[in-house]
Amino acid sequence: MESESESGATADTPPLETLSFHGDEEIIEVVELDPGPPDPADDLAQEMEDVDFEEEEEEEGNEEGWVLEPQEGVVGSMEGPDDSEVTFALHSASVFCVSLDPKTNTLAVTGGEDDKAFVWRLSDGELLFECAGHKDSVTCAGFSHDSTLVATGDMSGLLKVWQVDTKEEVWSFEAGDLEWMEWHSRAPVLLAGTADGNTWMWKVPNGDCKTFQGPNCPATCGRVLPDGKRAVVGYEDGTIRVWDLKQGNSVHVLKGTEGHQGPLTCVATNQDGSLILTGSVDCQAKLVSATTGKVVGVFRPETVASQPNLGEGEESESNSVESLGFCSVMPLAAVGYLDGTLAIYDLSTQTLRHQCQHQSGIVQLLWEAGTAVVYTCSLDGIVRLWDARTGRLLTDYRGHTAEILDFALSKDASLVVTTSGDHKAKVFCVQRPDR
């Protein structure tokens, strides 16, 4: 592996007045929990004096007042029962993204091909407000760590942030064509990757900005590491960079044989941030040490389906890694493939433990916190729950009449919220007898 220390800060980046990313200054003040030692990431921003990072008690979800949607007539091959409790139907085109507010898990934000984003209530689907002003498909949306702000981003690179309680827009910025967007886990800091290869970081709402220059190709996926001080970004040329958010330089660069042989599609980190998992259209998932930047494992599909002889002009079906993640209670990782395969890998032995087949491509997977249950959503419009210890299908949830494009899971795993090409978002109440 070639490890470089590349400077990613652009010379014309405006200086930060209240948010510093250089030298020994610190960028995110963390209020210490009482009692308990300070978080090691407290040095990320000392100048944000108005940010309170104290953990608040999780509010119990109110399961009263669920509104059972009447089943609508459905057509096509996905015709069938609707297991959802609530349907949100204000979008007029495919709904691309969904995120839940992390503080209470009572609100959702969805964005769609209709250039619209909405914040709405999970219990009954009631609209709180529209995030207006986008002129292209809204592909990214999410709440800040404390649920006070909500950000939306469209394909053209227009990002907007609203204050949830006042429903007022407080910040906007036009970057390059948007690839991904994520809030920092401890502060009102927003990160995004764009098609020009840049990764952007802003303090919201004052707009202090920092850029991290990657290769001259799209920054296709990214994730802030749990320490809050670094971010891992994957690029279209197959390279992977781990950025120091304070210093502005890349601390690890994986390229060539150490990187991927195709564009990256997804990245994930384990709970303590020591391991990174990357996925690509090259069908490989690479396990990387976040400390050393070394590849410590490579996972490939067990079998590659043989293709029949193809006629002239026909292409073989391609496969790729679409989603991946770490189990929080066992040394397991899950990788979801476009061909419908869910692979459960044992990290301690780096062997395939289970292979769970779907009828169509996997779009996304999520692990349930504190368990070995992994959720998948797929192009057949179905959410499935799998026991990663046995590879057994626990249950599935149906109701969409087109492919599921994104989904989110509540903290207590009582709710799954999905978005689909059928112009709907749906809320499913998860019933698990073993819980």
Side-chain angles (χ1 to χ4, degrees):
M1 191 206 77
E2 302 174 62
S3 181
E4 304 174 9
S5 179
E6 300 179 357
S7 175
T10 54
D12 55 352
T13 300
L16 305 179
E17 297 180 359
T18 60
L19 185 59
S20 174
F21 301 84
H22 298 281
D24 296 325
E25 296 180 52
E26 303 170 322
I27 57 173
I28 302 175
E29 174 184 333
V30 181
V31 176
E32 294 181 12
L33 297 174
D34 187 19
D39 192 297
D42 286 4
D43 66 345
L44 237 168
Q46 201 159 17
E47 320 214 6
M48 301 165 96
E49 298 180 355
D50 56 341
V51 180
D52 184 356
F53 300 112
E54 289 186 345
E55 300 264 340
E56 298 194 16
E57 291 186 11
E58 295 184 9
E59 297 185 16
E60 292 294 325
N62 178 17
E63 296 190 2
E64 298 294 322
W66 287 103
V67 177
L68 183 62
E69 289 286 321
Q71 290 193 24
E72 302 174 358
V74 291
V75 295
S77 60
M78 297 184 189
E79 185 175 344
D82 187 350
D83 301 321
S84 66
E85 302 288 336
V86 174
T87 298
F88 181 81
L90 288 186
H91 286 281
S92 58
S94 294
V95 191
F96 289 139
C97 56
V98 61
S99 181
L100 308 186
D101 85 280
K103 187 176 178 183
T104 68
N105 276 194
T106 60
L107 303 178
V109 57
T110 51
E113 192 179 15
D114 53 5
D115 307 348
K116 294 182 181 298
F118 300 104
V119 176
W120 49 279
R121 200 162 58 197
L122 292 177
S123 61
D124 55 9
E126 181 180 339
L127 176 68
L128 267 67
F129 61 95
E130 178 181 347
C131 304
H134 287 288
K135 297 185 180 354
D136 205 342
S137 297
V138 178
T139 53
C140 300
F143 291 89
S144 61
H145 73 287
D146 58 2
S147 299
T148 61
L149 302 171
V150 63
T152 54
D154 66 33
M155 289 182 68
S156 73
L158 176 61
L159 296 101
K160 290 176 172 287
V161 174
W162 280 261
Q163 187 151 332
V164 175
D165 58 356
T166 65
K167 308 176 183 178
E168 293 179 353
E169 182 180 324
V170 295
W171 179 83
S172 67
F173 188 90
E174 291 193 49
D177 291 352
L178 187 64
E179 297 282 337
W180 59 273
M181 180 189 81
E182 180 175 279
W183 283 100
H184 192 277
S185 60
R186 294 184 179 90
V189 172
L190 188 65
L191 290 90
T194 50
D196 57 10
N198 282 329
T199 297
W200 300 75
M201 181 160 66
W202 302 273
K203 181 186 172 185
V204 179
N206 73 10
D208 287 342
C209 178
K210 180 76 172 174
T211 59
F212 306 87
Q213 274 191 325
N216 189 27
C217 66
T220 52
C221 54
R223 181 65 55 90
V224 179
L225 296 186
D227 64 6
K229 299 192 231 184
R230 296 167 296 164
V232 55
V233 181
Y235 298 89
E236 189 179 71
D237 65 356
T239 60
I240 305 156
R241 283 166 169 77
V242 178
W243 292 97
D244 185 316
L245 299 179
K246 178 179 176 182
Q247 303 295 341
N249 63 292
S250 56
V251 292
H252 302 301
V253 179
L254 290 83
K255 59 185 181 180
T257 58
E258 293 292 301
H260 285 276
Q261 303 310 303
L264 272 84
T265 54
C266 47
V267 293
T269 68
N270 65 344
Q271 207 165 22
D272 65 8
S274 61
L275 293 172
I276 297 166
L277 197 57
T278 62
S280 166
V281 300
D282 66 6
C283 277
Q284 295 187 0
K286 295 204 170 189
L287 190 64
V288 179
S289 166
T291 304
T292 66
K294 302 287 187 184
V295 175
V296 296
V298 180
F299 303 112
R300 299 178 179 88
E302 278 287 292
T303 57
V304 179
S306 59
Q307 292 290 335
N309 293 329
L310 299 173
E312 185 177 348
E314 292 182 311
E315 295 183 0
S316 62
E317 292 185 12
S318 60
N319 194 15
S320 67
V321 175
E322 294 297 307
S323 186
L324 37 70
F326 291 90
C327 178
S328 63
V329 295
M330 295 178 69
L332 301 175
V335 180
Y337 295 91
L338 184 60
D339 71 354
T341 301
L342 170 66
I344 307 295
Y345 294 103
D346 188 317
L347 296 177
S348 56
T349 60
Q350 296 196 11
T351 56
L352 179 68
R353 184 160 175 165
H354 299 292
Q355 195 163 273
C356 312
Q357 205 59 42
H358 297 63
Q359 296 301 311
S360 59
I362 295 172
V363 175
Q364 191 181 346
L365 66 82
L366 294 169
W367 285 93
E368 180 180 314
T371 75
V373 175
V374 62
Y375 294 60
T376 59
C377 65
S378 55
L379 296 174
D380 59 10
I382 302 172
V383 174
R384 294 176 174 86
L385 279 64
W386 304 87
D387 186 337
R389 298 166 300 180
T390 64
R392 184 173 65 91
L393 177 66
L394 296 174
T395 187
D396 60 39
Y397 293 93
R398 302 164 187 254
H400 284 293
T401 58
E403 69 277 8
I404 295 177
L405 299 173
D406 193 16
F407 77 152
L409 181 63
S410 63
K411 284 185 294 187
D412 64 359
S414 64
L415 302 176
V416 175
V417 186
T418 56
T419 63
S420 170
D422 64 9
H423 310 177
K424 305 285 198 304
K426 286 182 175 288
V427 181
F428 296 89
C429 184
V430 178
Q431 303 287 347
R432 286 260 310 283
D434 58 324
R435 186 149 53 206

